Amino acid sequence: MEGKIRAHLTIEGRVQGVCFRAFVRDIARRSDVRGWVKNLYNGDVEAVLEGDKKDVSIVIANCYKGPPGSLVTNISIKWEDYTGSAAPFSITY
């Protein structure tokens, strides 16, 4: 399990109504990262990413950019213990 990490993100800014969740899902799947992404009632987006450190880092870097029309103002990252139990990446409602 060396090199495997788990990151819990809260993404702030103009991140709803701009296909942000689908953007994260597509990059996570291409990067072989497992977990989920969902909208929060306060307008933020929350995500859990599990996988190889380099792959999770790629997804996080792309979250800072976001899809066209988005404007990310802050990302809070909480590093958690890797569990290996995350399902294939999906959008959660």
Side-chain angles (χ1 to χ4, degrees):
M1 273 202 270
E2 188 172 328
K4 301 276 190 184
I5 62 171
R6 179 181 177 100
H8 193 149
L9 281 57
T10 302
I11 305 155
E12 302 170 33
R14 187 171 58 240
V15 292
Q16 290 191 14
V18 293
C19 299
F20 202 95
R21 292 173 300 162
F23 173 82
V24 174
R25 178 199 60 206
D26 294 347
I27 291 169
R29 287 181 176 175
R30 281 197 304 268
S31 302
D32 198 30
V33 170
R34 298 168 75 86
W36 51 264
V37 62
K38 71 177 180 179
N39 283 341
L40 297 177
Y41 290 109
N42 67 357
D44 295 344
V45 168
E46 180 182 18
V48 169
L49 313 170
E50 266 199 0
D52 288 333
K53 184 176 183 178
K54 69 175 180 55
D55 297 328
V56 170
S57 296
I58 288 168
V59 178
I60 292 171
N62 277 278
C63 284
Y64 278 100
K65 297 173 190 168
S70 69
L71 177 63
V72 176
T73 57
N74 186 54
I75 298 180
S76 300
I77 304 172
K78 189 167 80 174
W79 300 101
E80 300 175 344
D81 292 335
Y82 177 80
T83 66
S85 64
F89 206 90
S90 64
I91 295 174
T92 301
Y93 298 93

